[in-house]
Amino acid sequence: MAGCGCGNRRTTTVWLLEYENTGRTATEHATKIDAEIADARNGGGGTIRPISK
C-alpha cells in the first residue's frame, strides 16, 4: 500500500515581503513583525504575506 506522505514532510511558514513595480527583490522573514520592521526600514509600501515552505 502506498503511503500518502502526510507525516513525512514538515512545512514551515515564512513571511514574504514584496514590492510591486519597484525593482526591489522580495525578502523572506521568520515572523510577520520582522517583515513589518523591514518594510518600515525600506520606506513602507510593501505587501506582506505568509508562504509555506
Side-chain angles (χ1 to χ4, degrees):
M1 182 188 314
C4 70
C6 301
N8 295 336
R9 189 165 180 219
R10 185 175 183 182
T11 58
T12 302
T13 300
V14 294
W15 296 87
L16 188 66
L17 172 59
E18 300 176 298
Y19 295 96
E20 292 186 27
N21 302 323
T22 61
R24 291 189 258 178
T25 58
T27 55
E28 294 180 359
H29 301 274
T31 66
K32 186 176 181 183
I33 302 232
D34 289 342
E36 290 170 347
I37 291 169
D39 186 35
R41 287 182 179 159
N42 291 334
T47 302
I48 299 169
R49 63 185 178 96
I51 59 170
S52 296
K53 286 190 136 196

